[in-house]
Amino acid sequence: MAIQLTDTHCHIHEAWKAVNGQNVTAQKWDAAGRPDVSDIIVRAQEAGVTSMLCVGTTLPDSELAVGFVRDKPACWASIGLHPHEAHTYATDQKKLDAFAALAGQPKVAAVGECGLDFYYNHSPKDDQIRILRFQIELALKHDLPMIFHVREAFSDFWPIFDEYQGIRGVIHSFSAGVD
């Protein structure tokens, strides 16, 4: 049997089109000369990667991921509002509504990258918590798994997580100990 792998966290949609020049991933794709995404997918498949999850981190990035995967059988999208970006969305209902509308789009397979990051504190703690709860409720409403980014914030994350029933998914950027 040939090897079959799933890349559960990639950002190749950002090689397809630039959303924001300030985005670290976009800058890396720029430095790499913006390789052809069709070639990336072919090379991944040759290496045994049969499917890829393109992970969104902002509203524009999530929209890009959803558009990117539309005609690519091996690719799926997650939609997410990264904790670093929470301040951008916490009080903007129009942006939150636009984000929520993405959850029902074809090939959206997860919500995230979302969570809490108190290491960098690019967004206030209260904004991060509000956006995390918003995304948990959206994922539960649409029966989607989640991709959590939790860094230096588990003492706040677990009590929130425990308030909800039926959450499923993975923790990315894990920074806690064995317990």
Side-chain angles (χ1 to χ4, degrees), residues 5-14 25 29 49 51-57 61 76-80 82-83 110-114 146-150 170-174:
L5 300 171
T6 297
D7 185 339
T8 62
H9 195 115
C10 69
H11 297 275
I12 62 173
H13 60 289
E14 293 181 30
T25 307
W29 285 120
V49 179
S51 59
M52 294 168 257
L53 184 62
C54 299
V55 177
T57 58
D61 190 48
W76 300 86
S78 78
I79 57 167
H82 194 282
V111 173
E113 177 169 355
C114 63
M146 302 193 71
I147 303 167
F148 291 110
H149 170 105
V150 182
V170 298
I171 295 179
H172 162 78
S173 190
F174 185 79

Side-chain angles (χ1 to χ4, degrees), residues 3 14 18-19 28 30 37 43 53 67 71 82 90 95 97 106-109 120 126 139 141 147 154 159-161 164:
I3 190 167
E14 293 181 30
V19 171
K28 289 182 180 187
D30 287 341
V37 292
R43 287 186 292 123
L53 184 62
D71 64 349
H82 194 282
K95 287 181 182 176
D97 291 345
K107 298 191 76 177
V108 170
Y120 287 111
D126 289 344
K141 177 181 177 182
I147 303 167
F154 279 99
I160 294 167
F161 182 92
Y164 296 90

Side-chain angles (χ1 to χ4, degrees), residues 120-131:
Y120 287 111
N121 284 315
H122 290 304
S123 286
K125 182 177 178 178
D126 289 344
D127 289 351
Q128 291 187 47
I129 290 170
R130 179 167 188 257
I131 295 304

Side-chain angles (χ1 to χ4, degrees), residues 79-151:
I79 57 167
L81 302 174
H82 194 282
H84 292 337
E85 307 298 329
H87 67 281
T88 303
Y89 301 95
T91 60
D92 192 329
Q93 193 59 49
K94 184 176 177 182
K95 287 181 182 176
L96 292 176
D97 291 345
F99 179 81
L102 293 173
Q105 293 295 307
K107 298 191 76 177
V108 170
V111 173
E113 177 169 355
C114 63
L116 302 174
D117 189 320
F118 300 156
Y119 181 79
Y120 287 111
N121 284 315
H122 290 304
S123 286
K125 182 177 178 178
D126 289 344
D127 289 351
Q128 291 187 47
I129 290 170
R130 179 167 188 257
I131 295 304
L132 171 61
R133 288 182 180 281
F134 168 77
Q135 290 178 96
I136 290 172
E137 291 164 11
L138 183 66
L140 291 172
K141 177 181 177 182
H142 289 273
D143 192 29
L144 292 169
M146 302 193 71
I147 303 167
F148 291 110
H149 170 105
V150 182
R151 187 166 186 194

